[in-house]
Structures are given as C-alpha cells and as structure tokens.
Amino acid sequence: MKVLVIGGGAREHALCRALSLDPDVSALHCAPGNAGIADAAELHPVDALDGDAVAALAGRLEADLVVVGPEAPLVAGVADAVRAAGIPCFGPSREAARLEGSKAFAKEVMAAANVPTARSYVCTTPEEVDEALDAFGAPYVVKDDGLAAGKGVVVTADLEQAREHALACGRVVIEEYLDGPEVSLFAITDGETVLPLQPAQDFKRALDGDEGPNTGGMGAYSPLPWADPKLVDEVMDTVLQPTVDELRRRGTPFAGLLYAGLAITSRGVRVIEFNARFGDPETQVVLARLKTPLASVLLNAAKGTLADEPPLNWRGDSAVTVVIASRDYPATPRTGDPIGGLDEVAAQDAPHAYVLHAGTRREGDAIVSAGGRVLSVTATGEDLTQARDRAYAAVGRIRLDGSHHRTDIAAKAAGHP
C-alpha cells in the first residue's frame, strides 16, 4: 500500500511513524512534512489547503490512501477533492468537518442526537454576549465559533477578559462551565461503524499546575488509571454512535476520525467539543500503544468497510508525551533556534523513548525550531511512572534556547504529588 499523509506537525509524525512500522505499507509520503518526518517518509511540497493540488500529488504518487492530518484542510474540503479524484481518503468531507469548523453546528447536531453537553448560547451581538455571560456566571467559557488552532477558547473568572474575547470573535458560543477531569476519546468511523481507540488525557495550559494561558496542548498520557472501565462503552453508546448516526441521517456522513473532548462531571459524561481529526498531543500516546497495524484500519474507514475490521489490539503498557515549546509560546513564539540533543535521544533512549517533530525545519546540517510547539518527546513504560521517567530523561537531553515544558505531565495519574 502506498500512503500519503497531509500535514507537518507532531500528530502527522506520529501517524507516519505508525504507518512506517506497518508491513503492508510499501511506500510512505508526507506533504509538506517536517525535519523529523523526513526520516520516516518521503517529503513533498504542497499547499495543504488546496484540494486540487493534494489530489494531483496523490495521483502522481499513485497513492492507495491519503490521510489528512490537520483540521484546516478538512474544513476546506481537501478530502472531497481527493475522493472526487477516485482515491480513498481518510478524513471527513467539508460538510461533516463542520462538526469541528463550527461550534454552533456541533451544538445543533448534539441536540438532535440527544448527546449530553453543556448548555450554551450562540451570540453575535454585544447584547447577546452580556446576557449569556450573566446567565451562566463565572467561570466563563467563551468559544470562537470557527477554527482557531487551539486558541479560540477562553475559560476565565474575569468577566472583562471573557467579554473582550467574545467581542473579538464575532460569532461566539458561550456555555456553562463543566466541572471534573477531561478525557479525549478518538473513534475511527466509516460513517456507520464506529471503532473507538483508547482514551487519553491532555494538558492544555502552558504552565505546571494548569496555570497560564491555553495552548494547543503541552503533553498527554494514556491509559487513564482513574477512569471507569466502562467509560469507552458509555461514550460509544451516548456520544459517538448517536453523532455518527445523526450526520448520516442528514445526508452528510462522517468518515474519518471523530474526536470527542469530554468532561467527566458530577452529573455524568458531557461533551466539551468535537474535533474532526486526530488530536495533538493525544495521538502521540494513543498510537504508541496501538498494536494493530494502522494502514488497513484507515483504508477500511476510507472505503466504507470498517465492519470487516476485527477489534483493535492494544499493548498493556503506558505512554507519556511531553511537549517542548519555543520561547514565548503561546504568545509570539521565537523560531529559527538550533535544536541539539536529538541524536543523543536516538542513541540512548530508543526504543522506549523517541522524539516526534512538530515545528521544525532543516537548515543545512542543522534542525531548527519553526513553530510554537517544537517537539513531542514520547515514551512508553510498564506503567505511567516508568513512562514519565523515560520521557523526562529524554527531554533533559534536548537543547533549545529559551524553550519551556511542563514538568507535571501525568504526575497525578501516576500517583506523584
């Protein structure tokens, strides 16, 4: 099987790594990729938002499967263009990807499918914003209706900050605050059959102790030792299957990766948000634990034959990812700094720990930072304590001027204070 992955972040590096380990994959390509992905796949330049360009590249490469990683190309309809060219594509259509592209649309679908979620208002005027903020009170949850690369949500006790964010967004969803721990659960679906993956937890705040601004994610771990063993079955029955059924009923079936961001509240499971693609950095830990070869699962989802796929096999180990971010991330991250220590990690920590590249590029012989989240250092172990120790040992070898990372990823779950 020849596979083309679209995107250039750590999520795509994790996908490429998993696909490169699959004996069914004879050729692996990535566009545009990054400096780390170049070790696992052949890179090609492409405008990832241009469906015709992506479809043309897939045709030239004679790809048997295209996997679209990021949300923006999906919302732009890239998967539609690839499918129109007769090439199987893992990723929802433009219409189905509205589940992530519009928070208001997602709320509408959840209401129709009877999916448990936070009460909310969609606001377009300052008057509606003030009314909604007043109705729910603090802490305020304000979500930009459109895509905002993980930075469109503000959760704050500060009324002025909440109002300022809401007015800057134009169309905004304001909702009740959900208490309780958060869980990310991915499911692969062909629009009918739904195959859940293992749950993970990510860390959105920039600083230890969940302090600081929201980011795209500073780390993740899986499995969740504290979660109810029936959680996946419950979310399948109350969230994932009803949502997939509702989108199919509307004539816009969702085929690809459905990601449910959940809050385990005192009143039960509630959906915080849906995404239309693998989450970053949760993908890094979930795929580290997946035993089943990935390519055939994604191809069956793309072809509508997921019912033929046997249940997924999982390793019994744990995985932890720690994100190394560049100086001043998430505000105005500095780029162009050389990255050292990558060879040391490869020599001393493999195969239990490895580095997945997010925002990197090659400049001559050097690899330099090219984004806010630069690297995802991922490690596996018999339990979360061992996986954490291995991940942080590898993080300690990386040299990037001004970089920062959280030191408490998975600490509480591993039983550390």
Side-chain angles (χ1 to χ4, degrees), residues 326 333-339 359 361 363 367-371 400:
S326 56
R334 190 174 81 187
T335 59
D337 288 309
I339 301 165
R361 68 171 184 270
E363 278 187 4
I367 290 176
V368 303
S369 60
L400 174 61

Side-chain angles (χ1 to χ4, degrees), residues 103-104 107 117-123 132 136 173-176:
K103 304 280 190 301
K107 288 288 188 186
T117 186
R119 292 178 301 123
S120 64
Y121 295 102
V122 180
C123 308
F136 288 129
V173 173
I174 294 174
E175 62 184 40
E176 67 174 326

Side-chain angles (χ1 to χ4, degrees), residues 96-109:
R98 287 179 65 208
L99 207 54
E100 176 167 5
S102 167
K103 304 280 190 301
F105 175 73
K107 288 288 188 186
E108 186 192 310
V109 169

Side-chain angles (χ1 to χ4, degrees), residues 115-188:
V115 168
T117 186
R119 292 178 301 123
S120 64
Y121 295 102
V122 180
C123 308
T124 54
T125 67
E127 293 73 30
E128 288 171 347
V129 164
D130 290 340
E131 222 169 282
L133 291 172
D134 187 48
F136 288 129
Y140 305 100
V141 182
V142 184
K143 299 180 174 182
D144 192 334
D145 181 49
L147 291 181
K151 302 189 191 79
V153 180
V154 164
V155 181
T156 178
D158 184 329
L159 177 61
E160 272 317 300
Q161 189 190 356
R163 191 169 188 275
E164 194 180 310
H165 181 64
L167 298 179
C169 291
R171 183 174 156 99
V172 72
V173 173
I174 294 174
E175 62 184 40
E176 67 174 326
Y177 176 76
L178 296 174
D179 63 335
E182 293 185 15
V183 174
S184 302
L185 185 62
F186 303 160
I188 291 169

Side-chain angles (χ1 to χ4, degrees), residues 174-266:
I174 294 174
E175 62 184 40
E176 67 174 326
Y177 176 76
L178 296 174
D179 63 335
E182 293 185 15
V183 174
S184 302
L185 185 62
F186 303 160
I188 291 169
T189 177
D190 59 3
E192 198 159 341
T193 301
V194 180
L195 205 57
L197 305 187
Q198 290 279 303
Q201 186 174 56
D202 80 331
F203 295 75
K204 284 277 184 262
R205 298 281 184 174
L207 307 175
D208 283 7
D210 288 329
E211 298 288 330
N214 250 359
T215 71
M218 293 299 290
Y221 69 93
S222 178
L224 312 181
W226 50 268
D228 186 328
K230 299 192 204 74
L231 176 67
V232 174
D233 291 340
E234 183 190 341
V235 176
M236 268 292 288
D237 293 344
T238 62
V239 175
L240 297 168
Q241 193 71 56
T243 301
V244 168
D245 291 345
E246 172 61 21
L247 285 164
R248 190 175 68 252
R249 188 190 67 75
R250 290 168 175 241
T252 55
F254 187 106
L257 194 291
L258 179 58
Y259 162 149
L262 309 163
I264 313 300
T265 77
S266 50

